[in-house]
Amino acid sequence: MTDLISIILPVYNCDQWLTNTIKSVQKQTYSNFELICVDDGSTDHSLEIIKRIMASDHRIKLICEENLGACYARNNGVSYARGSYIAFLDGDDLYAPDFLQANYDAIKKYKADVSMVNIIQNDGTN
């Protein structure tokens, strides 16, 4: 059996990107994860989007808090994490489909405690 990975997603007024962000997690080749969305007092439609998507995916969890900032939201999410490993994602980011699998494989292969990755910024022109 594979280890559970907890993905922490702080959410604050990112409704224009949020559906794609969550879908990028749902499309992972490594499927043993929980996505912990921490709504940090959003005033847009972010909370509604999370609730709609989580209704059909038991791996998605929701925590609601007053607006205290992304750092607090991440820490709050970590306190609810049940996974052997923790990954972070922001509301306007996307994971490549093999992101979790590649990191999990590297951690296991090298018996690492931490995995750090580079990001690729895609402005939509390529």
Side-chain angles (χ1 to χ4, degrees):
M1 178 177 232
T2 57
D3 294 299
L4 179 68
I5 298 176
S6 297
I7 303 164
I8 312 301
L9 172 59
V11 175
Y12 181 73
N13 291 349
C14 56
D15 63 359
Q16 64 185 6
W17 307 285
L18 192 55
T19 299
N20 288 335
T21 297
I22 294 173
K23 284 183 179 181
S24 81
V25 174
Q26 290 177 304
K27 293 178 181 177
Q28 290 299 297
T29 57
Y30 188 100
S31 61
N32 191 23
F33 64 81
E34 64 177 355
L35 174 60
I36 302 172
C37 300
V38 183
D39 182 73
D40 192 38
S42 294
T43 57
D44 64 359
H45 298 288
S46 295
L47 184 58
E48 296 160 27
I49 292 168
I50 297 167
K51 287 180 178 180
R52 177 180 44 81
I53 296 172
M54 72 184 280
S56 62
D57 192 336
H58 71 278
R59 299 172 301 179
I60 301 173
K61 314 293 187 239
L62 174 62
I63 300 167
C64 294
E65 63 185 29
E66 63 183 276
N67 181 243
L68 298 169
C71 187
Y72 185 87
R74 283 186 192 94
N75 288 334
N76 195 9
V78 167
S79 71
Y80 286 90
R82 298 179 303 118
S84 300
Y85 300 99
I86 295 175
F88 295 98
L89 179 66
D90 288 330
D92 61 348
D93 292 341
L94 302 172
Y95 277 171
D98 65 343
F99 176 81
L100 292 178
Q101 187 68 58
N103 278 278
Y104 181 78
D105 290 346
I107 286 170
K108 289 300 188 184
K109 179 179 179 179
Y110 297 106
K111 298 180 177 136
D113 294 325
V114 174
S115 171
M116 294 179 67
V117 299
N118 289 326
I119 61 167
I120 298 171
Q121 184 172 346
N122 185 346
D123 62 6
T125 60
N126 54 1

